[in-house]
Amino acid sequence: MRAVDIIRKKRDGGALDHREIGWMVGGIASGEVADYQWSALLMAILWRGMDDAETAALTDAMMHSGSVVDLSTMPGVKIDKHSTGGVGDKTSLILAPIAAALDVSVPMVSGRGLGHTGGTLDKLESIPGFRVDLDLKRYQQVLNECGLVLIGQTAEIAPADKRLYALRDATATVESIPLIAASIMSKKLAEGIDGLVLDVKTGNGAFMQQLEDSRRLARTMCAIGRGLGKRMRALITRMDQPLGRAVGNAVEVAESVACLRGEGPNDLVNLSVELAAEMVVMAERAGSLDEAGALCRRVIADGSALDRFRRVVAAQGGDPRTLDEPERLPQPRARRDVAAPRSGVVESLAARPIGQATMLLGAGRARIDSIIDPAVGVILHKKVGDPVDAGEPLCTVYFNDTAALEPAIAMINDAYRVGDGPVESPPLIVERC
Ligand code: URA
């Protein structure tokens, strides 16, 4: 086979077969296919698309470019959740211990922050000592001991995705639904799961801003998983305003712990419970979503979900005292309130500029090698629909870098729109598929 023939075929709108796709993916490791040839193919895929069979073949080849973990000898049904990314989206930290407390095994391989969105790994690493870089042997031990494990992509998991992701980032080819679907699913399927619940975000703070695109992404990922015999469910959820009240890293860990104590904000608790309930039903631990939802709320109320989180934090080297004494989490040197410019009602609170403001403060990466500041972030006191008096704090900014403060506050001011109302709050869950 020759890369140039395969590129030409896709360029001209043809469908590639699984041998051609497998050969191209194999060529990354063998060196038979140069980066410039993959870059050209990626651009052809972005323009021409891929059908379901091509997307499944690409996922399969990327998944098998590294180790596919075999958890079949471990007891229990292994279910994970994946979110396509948002602002203040910390549901993984809440639902994984909830599901584990209900005897669902949760092997979770998560990512870092991307653009204006936060990443589970960065949040977890704000817990002093917490290690996300476990090898696959320790990954299985922690899963066995705690019923859940929270790690990052290792060199062994889908290495072809790592290479292709870097090329996509550098060639403006990230925004292709088949490429996104294959990238996410190749990593998730390599974890050794039996089923996956997807939280596909839609709205201004999501990568997919249009509902129709979110729907296509959800359906593509479900088709890939089901084609490989996995249990799949996708929820499409709104990401127009941040989820919960905390945006950053340590502040999001503290808010997750508050949720596990039954003290979290309603939108975040409700979505975490909905997603966890889907996992519980998928693992056949409950017969209906209503029953599963009630079980999830019970393990929050009786403390067993928080206990699971405490166990996994200790097993992965983190300081479990941070869960009871949040002041042990990294703290900023200073805090500044942002005051409401007028009295009224918060009509909108755009998630994307809030994410960008926290990134500017140091909570996210401007470059691949940037160092995250775990202590900085924003606490939102007012969200959509809340009444506010002129001068009252809309939010509090946690900061260390004084130079970043004013530009971050300008972005936050742009994100808030305070008007006379009334305000409609559409439901967070748009649909399930
Ligand atoms: N997350 C991934 O892992 N891959 C993508 O392509 C986009 C988001």
Side-chain angles (χ1 to χ4, degrees):
M1 276 191 220
R2 293 193 322 155
V4 66
D5 299 327
I6 295 172
I7 298 165
R8 185 180 300 110
K9 186 172 176 188
K10 181 48 69 185
R11 182 200 70 187
D12 294 344
L16 304 180
D17 65 36
H18 72 275
R19 283 171 305 118
E20 291 165 325
I21 292 171
W23 186 82
M24 284 296 292
V25 173
I28 299 171
S30 70
E32 255 180 296
V33 182
D35 279 0
Y36 55 79
Q37 292 175 309
W38 251 110
S39 301
L41 182 62
L42 290 168
M43 189 56 84
I45 293 171
L46 182 110
W47 279 105
R48 293 295 193 169
M50 279 186 139
D51 63 25
D52 282 356
E54 291 177 285
T55 312
L58 179 60
T59 309
D60 196 49
M62 281 162 58
M63 171 172 87
H64 286 104
S65 66
S67 308
V68 177
V69 184
D70 181 6
L71 298 176
S72 60
T73 55
M74 282 184 60
V77 186
K78 291 103 205 160
I79 308 288
D80 192 7
K81 187 265 335 181
H82 178 80
S83 159
T84 57
V87 179
D89 179 6
K90 57 204 71 83
T91 60
S92 291
L93 275 58
I94 304 161
L95 61 81
I98 292 176
L102 291 165
D103 290 332
V104 181
S105 260
V106 188
M108 194 174 264
V109 178
S110 301
R112 298 201 174 272
L114 198 60
H116 65 283
T117 68
T120 300
L121 300 181
D122 299 328
K123 294 170 203 186
L124 287 168
E125 281 181 343
S126 69
I127 302 173
F130 196 100
R131 299 284 302 268
V132 297
D133 58 347
L134 310 185
D135 61 28
L136 290 180
K137 186 158 167 262
R138 183 72 189 134
Y139 165 80
Q140 295 189 43
Q141 279 170 351
V142 174
L143 181 62
N144 232 339
E145 286 162 26
C146 304
L148 75 160
V149 60
L150 306 156
I151 65 162
Q153 184 178 5
T154 67
E156 300 132 287
I157 292 181
D161 170 64
K162 211 170 187 164
R163 187 78 213 114
L164 290 183
Y165 198 91
L167 287 180
R168 287 165 61 206
D169 216 13
T171 57
T173 52
V174 171
E175 299 90 342
S176 150
I177 288 178
L179 293 178
I180 295 174
S183 164
I184 293 173
M185 292 302 291
S186 62
K187 286 177 289 220
K188 288 287 156 183
L189 295 170
E191 292 171 1
I193 48 170
D194 300 305
L196 179 64
V197 174
L198 294 166
D199 180 5
V200 179
K201 302 287 187 195
T202 193
N204 77 70
F207 287 110
M208 299 284 140
Q209 302 197 21
Q210 303 303 323
L211 179 56
E212 203 36 55
D213 289 338
S214 307
R215 220 175 245 147
R216 272 179 48 223
L217 180 60
R219 287 184 186 148
T220 305
M221 290 195 285
C222 285
I224 294 171
R226 288 182 187 131
L228 292 168
K230 306 296 175 190
R231 303 174 197 186
M232 297 292 305
R233 181 86 158 146
L235 271 60
I236 299 182
T237 69
R238 282 185 211 285
M239 180 35 71
D240 294 314
Q241 66 169 332
L243 191 58
R245 296 195 176 273
V247 184
N249 292 295
V251 288
E252 292 201 33
V253 170
E255 187 171 62
S256 304
V257 173
C259 290
L260 290 170
R261 289 186 192 287
E263 296 160 2
N266 283 340
D267 61 343
L268 177 59
V269 172
N270 292 344
L271 182 59
S272 304
V273 166
E274 289 281 353
L275 291 164
E278 292 281 2
M279 297 167 77
V280 170
V281 170
M282 199 175 257
E284 295 168 33
R285 298 280 167 202
S288 70
L289 282 177
D290 282 349
E291 185 195 342
L295 290 172
C296 293
R297 289 187 193 273
R298 198 166 78 199
V299 294
I300 295 176
D302 68 13
S304 48
L306 181 58
D307 184 54
R308 286 290 170 147
F309 195 43
R310 198 173 274 122
R311 276 158 63 183
V312 80
V313 166
Q316 295 193 219
D319 180 354
R321 292 174 303 175
T322 52
L323 309 192
D324 301 304
E325 301 162 51
E327 60 284 359
R328 289 183 181 271
L329 288 166
Q331 300 295 318
R333 275 194 290 277
R335 296 173 171 81
R336 172 85 61 87
D337 287 342
V338 177
R342 53 163 284 186
S343 297
V345 177
V346 177
E347 289 183 342
S348 62
L349 169 54
R352 188 171 287 254
I354 296 290
Q356 286 163 339
T358 53
M359 229 181 110
L360 201 64
L361 293 166
R365 288 178 190 77
R367 295 162 39 118
I368 203 157
D369 53 355
S370 305
I371 309 272
I372 293 270
D373 184 340
V376 301
V378 179
I379 302 290
L380 305 162
H381 307 302
K382 301 289 177 187
K383 290 190 59 183
V384 174
D386 289 341
V388 61
D389 290 327
E392 203 184 347
L394 290 168
C395 67
T396 303
V397 179
Y398 287 30
F399 68 101
N400 282 322
D401 175 6
T402 317
L405 181 65
E406 290 310 325
I409 288 180
M411 284 181 186
I412 292 168
N413 277 323
D414 283 347
Y416 271 101
R417 200 177 76 224
V418 180
D420 297 324
V423 177
E424 260 189 64
S425 290
L428 202 52
I429 299 175
V430 183
E431 59 191 44
R432 299 173 196 247
C433 53

